[in-house]
Amino acid sequence: MKIVVPLKQTVDLVEELELNDDGTDVEREYLTFKLNEWDEQALEEALLIKDAGGAEVTVVALDETDADQSLYGALAKGVDRAVKLSGDFEAGVSSHARAAILAEFIKAGGFDLVLIGVQTPEDLDGQTGVILAGMLGLPHVSVAVAVEADGDGVRVTQEMGAGVTHQLIVSGPAVVGVQAAREAPRYVPISRIRSAMQAGGIEHQPAAEPAASTGLTVRRMFAPQSSSHAEMLSGDADAVAGRIIEIMRERGALRV
Amino acid sequence: MSNDIFVLVEHHGGAVSESTSELFGMARGLAESSGGAVVGCLLGSGARGLAAGLAADTVLSVEAPQLGDFVPEAYAATLAALVTDRDPRVLLIANTTVGMDVAGAVSGRTGRPLIAYCSAISFEGGTLVATSQVYGGKLNAEVETGDGAIVSVVGGSAAAATGGSPSVEDVAPPDLSGLHTTFVARVEAESSDVDITGEDILVSVGRGIGGEENIELAQDLAEALGATVSGSRPVTDAGWLPKSRQVGKSGRKVKPKLYLACGISGAPEHLEGMSDAELIIAINTDEKAPIFDVAHYGTTVDLFDLLPALTDQVKAVSA
Ligand SMILES: Cc1cc2nc3c(=O)[nH]c(=O)nc-3n(C[C@H](O)[C@H](O)[C@H](O)COP(=O)(O)OP(=O)(O)OC[C@H]3O[C@@H](n4cnc5c(N)ncnc54)[C@H](O)[C@@H]3O)c2cc1C
Ligand SMILES: Nc1ncnc2c1ncn2[C@@H]1O[C@H](COP(=O)(O)O)[C@@H](O)[C@H]1O
């Protein structure tokens, strides 16, 4: 089975998000980026399939900030190929444009399965995986919490919420949006990533020219202004703990 | 292009989902300004009867054996055919698993624009203006688009509307032979664990707790309070707490007397499960964390200092 896992670096949400000058996007220049947490899950699921019964796993990323970091990380974890698609991505890449670029790469690569993170925190115009499936006319399952090889296809567990899951069998090729891998993503020591970097091994290809536009115009981005922001309790831990106990008492939430 | 506002009717086990009623609430407002009708898209097998009572003017009922269970491929193909044929001004889809699976695929198939994570929407003349939650709820984006957009709506964005008497139009499905997806089973998790939806006080932990070895900080506090420990998704995914303790969109929706959120950022998917709690107190070192927008009280004191202090004081007052 030939599996491809598209990887994307996204902004680290723990950071302070500054807006750009015209207030229509985050200012990317000073932010730190990390592999989208759901791509990490998709990668793990691909590696679990490979461990279980053999598979050729390719990771692919657009040449955006810190893409090498993700690609070398994946090589260190044991993927077979890592491909970087070059192009002008300075201004940011929408989900639709990303899907269009990936669609061309996937058509040419003859993959049986696309495993992709269920979403990223910046999918304003939708989730890349399902858009990609739509563009390619492929079957898809999103919000997957288990993907296992099954004959010429895969058996997917789709999470519906409140403890309900659906079991589906999809014969390839197909696109699966991974919410969580069956196991927590494996740890790879930094030394192994360093060796992967020294060995090189990232293939370079030009990205297809994206034909897709989102049809959306961002007027502005802004921090949500809640009319009911929490009343903040200040002081050291003991003082705040004391206040919390008072509040619980007032509200009848303290049983003891 | 018609002026109609389409809504995907999501139903499970013979019942229309709550999120669908919210979409109808939203659609009614939009239809008033567009001058069109509210049209429900009801896909299923033997589901036609669910049309009665939907807050729609018309329901398009598409019946096919392949639509009896949620097979994403079949739903995407059917819905894509429907919007291509009818050309609605807007198609509203809930941001559930079904919605997340279908909305993007229909956009990819039809080339229609897609607005995700939408929490508010209106027309300004001919322009559709929507507010979306991005970056884990830390920012809102106000976007505009022309006609024909598919909009994926987060839960709780509009008041539910029910109780209409729509006319029903039967629509033939597209060719659904040759699907590559087989529905095998619906599985309900069995659990002998406590039901967190029935608990009065939840001490809820997020990724900020750092690791499984620290869960006991929350456990100690919960014990002192006579409470139960719950958590956010990353915590249950990592196995630090059982799956049955997960609060949120894909976990449980809880409404306790007190929800103590410890090291939880307050992503929209988490808020969906707890924002109705009677009293919310949030502990998070990031003063910009979205959890503080729904919490009644908050503090940026480090949870590793605060939880032990709180446990000690609760023990002291109850001694
Ligand atoms: C389809 C789908 C369904 C989902 N369903 C759910 C769901 O049901 N439930 C759910 O919770 N999520 C769900 N998610 C995930 C959701 O998007 C977020 O990723 C998740 O809620 C984040 O969890 P968190 O707040 O624990 O972690 P983070 O977002 O990583 O937040 C950790 C927080 O801890 C704070 N912190 C760190 N250290 C400390 C400290 N020492 N003291 C105090 N604070 C500290 C940080 O400031 C940060 O705000 C879903 C996602 C998808 C795509
Ligand atoms: N998006 C959807 N639209 C219409 N029907 C759906 C949708 N999702 C699930 N269903 C229905 O849900 C039922 C199966 O789901 P469940 O009861 O959860 O196993 C069937 O009756 C399906 O027709």
Side-chain angles (χ1 to χ4, degrees):
Chain A
M1 172 148 44
K2 281 182 77 175
I3 306 175
V4 61
V5 185
L7 301 179
K8 180 188 176 187
Q9 297 281 127
T10 56
V11 300
D12 192 342
L13 293 180
V14 175
E15 295 225 354
E16 176 103 8
L17 302 178
E18 302 266 352
L19 293 176
N20 63 9
D21 287 342
D22 57 2
T24 56
D25 200 357
V26 293
E27 178 59 68
R28 286 161 197 280
E29 201 173 328
Y30 309 108
L31 286 171
T32 47
F33 289 79
K34 62 179 188 101
L35 179 58
N36 175 36
E37 61 175 294
W38 292 289
D39 294 352
E40 204 170 316
Q41 301 285 342
L43 173 60
E44 180 58 32
E45 202 64 348
L47 292 169
L48 290 173
I49 294 173
K50 179 176 161 144
D51 293 347
E56 183 190 307
V57 180
T58 300
V59 287
V60 59
L62 273 51
D63 187 5
E64 296 170 293
T65 313
D66 293 337
D68 285 11
Q69 205 171 301
S70 296
L71 293 171
Y72 283 124
L75 281 168
K77 285 182 175 183
V79 304
D80 301 281
R81 284 177 69 204
V83 182
K84 189 159 78 172
L85 302 176
S86 56
D88 179 12
F89 308 128
E90 197 88 341
V93 182
S94 71
S95 298
H96 281 76
R98 189 176 303 275
I101 292 170
L102 290 171
E104 294 306 317
F105 176 77
I106 287 160
K107 267 191 269 179
F111 297 101
D112 306 301
L113 179 63
V114 183
L115 292 181
I116 183 167
V118 63
Q119 66 176 33
T120 83
E122 43 195 2
D123 289 339
L124 182 55
D125 65 320
Q127 288 83 20
T128 301
V130 272
I131 296 169
L132 170 71
M135 287 175 173
L136 290 170
L138 290 179
H140 49 90
V141 182
S142 203
V143 200
V145 290
V147 187
E148 291 153 278
D150 187 289
D152 73 334
V154 282
R155 174 184 280 263
V156 184
T157 305
Q158 180 173 46
E159 187 177 76
M160 305 305 289
V164 175
T165 54
H166 287 176
Q167 296 278 330
L168 300 161
I169 290 179
V170 194
S171 59
V175 180
V176 179
V178 178
Q179 158 73 53
R182 280 165 289 157
E183 289 172 24
R186 64 197 63 193
Y187 173 75
V188 55
I190 195 85
S191 58
R192 193 125 45 96
I193 299 178
R194 269 205 213 98
S195 335
M197 290 172 93
Q198 266 149 23
I202 292 179
E203 296 171 36
H204 295 259
Q205 289 183 21
E209 296 287 331
S213 81
T214 63
L216 308 183
T217 307
V218 179
R219 286 182 171 179
R220 62 184 181 121
M221 282 197 191
F222 56 100
Q225 239 118 41
S226 155
S227 51
S228 55
H229 190 275
E231 180 184 330
M232 298 304 279
L233 311 174
S234 53
D236 65 5
D238 284 324
V240 171
R243 275 291 287 139
I244 290 177
I245 287 181
E246 279 172 31
I247 292 162
M248 291 195 294
R249 274 234 176 85
E250 281 161 24
R251 300 288 202 109
L254 194 64
R255 273 194 286 235
V256 287
Chain B
M1 177 79 44
S2 83
N3 281 324
D4 295 345
I5 311 301
F6 276 34
V7 168
L8 175 64
V9 178
E10 189 176 335
H11 53 97
H12 295 278
V16 173
S17 70
E18 171 70 18
S19 56
T20 299
S21 307
E22 293 178 5
L23 295 185
F24 279 118
M26 190 175 251
R28 294 245 64 102
L30 285 174
E32 250 160 56
S33 35
S34 78
V38 173
V39 178
C41 303
L42 179 57
L43 284 52
S45 175
R48 191 179 188 276
L50 295 174
L54 295 177
D57 300 309
T58 308
V59 169
L60 304 177
S61 164
V62 191
E63 289 276 316
Q66 294 92 338
L67 298 171
D69 295 300
F70 179 57
V71 171
E73 189 187 7
Y75 276 86
T78 305
L79 203 55
L82 207 55
V83 295
T84 302
D85 188 38
R86 304 292 173 121
D87 204 11
R89 191 81 181 268
V90 178
L91 166 63
L92 301 179
I93 300 181
N95 187 41
T96 55
T97 292
V98 168
M100 283 181 72
D101 211 342
V102 167
V106 174
S107 173
R109 280 172 187 255
T110 62
R112 285 170 180 258
L114 170 57
I115 303 173
Y117 313 123
C118 171
S119 61
I121 191 165
S122 61
F123 282 115
E124 288 178 11
T127 306
L128 186 71
V129 181
T131 303
S132 292
Q133 301 173 328
V134 284
Y135 297 106
K138 277 196 148 181
L139 291 176
N140 279 346
E142 187 178 281
V143 300
E144 59 173 63
T145 188
D147 289 329
I150 299 164
V151 183
S152 171
V153 181
V154 295
S157 300
T162 52
S165 46
S167 58
V168 181
E169 182 187 340
D170 292 299
V171 178
D175 180 9
L176 293 174
S177 59
L179 291 178
H180 294 88
T181 312
T182 313
F183 187 92
V184 181
R186 173 183 193 274
V187 182
E188 202 149 341
E190 280 174 42
S191 168
S192 51
D193 194 21
V194 289
D195 176 6
I196 57 171
T197 62
E199 296 295 304
D200 278 347
I201 305 182
L202 291 173
V203 176
S204 208
V205 294
R207 191 145 43 191
I209 197 81
E212 189 170 13
E213 65 283 6
N214 301 325
I215 296 287
E216 67 178 71
L217 291 177
Q219 223 109 43
D220 291 346
L221 176 60
E223 217 162 280
L225 284 170
T228 300
V229 178
S230 59
S232 68
R233 167 143 215 157
V235 169
T236 59
D237 274 349
W240 303 344
L241 283 176
K243 209 65 202 155
S244 47
R245 302 292 178 97
Q246 184 184 315
V247 173
K249 172 179 175 175
S250 52
R252 306 291 156 154
K253 295 199 173 22
V254 299
K255 214 179 153 182
K257 288 203 166 72
L258 169 62
Y259 190 84
L260 194 63
C262 315
I264 293 176
S265 62
E269 293 90 350
H270 188 81
L271 300 188
E272 248 184 69
M274 46 62 72
S275 55
D276 287 339
E278 281 174 39
L279 175 62
I280 301 168
I281 303 179
I283 305 168
N284 193 311
T285 43
D286 176 5
E287 62 171 2
K288 298 261 172 75
I291 190 75
F292 292 128
D293 288 332
V294 302
H296 303 95
Y297 296 92
T299 177
T300 55
V301 171
D302 193 305
L303 72 86
F304 291 106
D305 300 325
L306 186 52
L307 291 188
L310 195 50
T311 306
D312 286 348
Q313 291 198 28
V314 172
K315 280 184 182 159
V317 296
S318 52

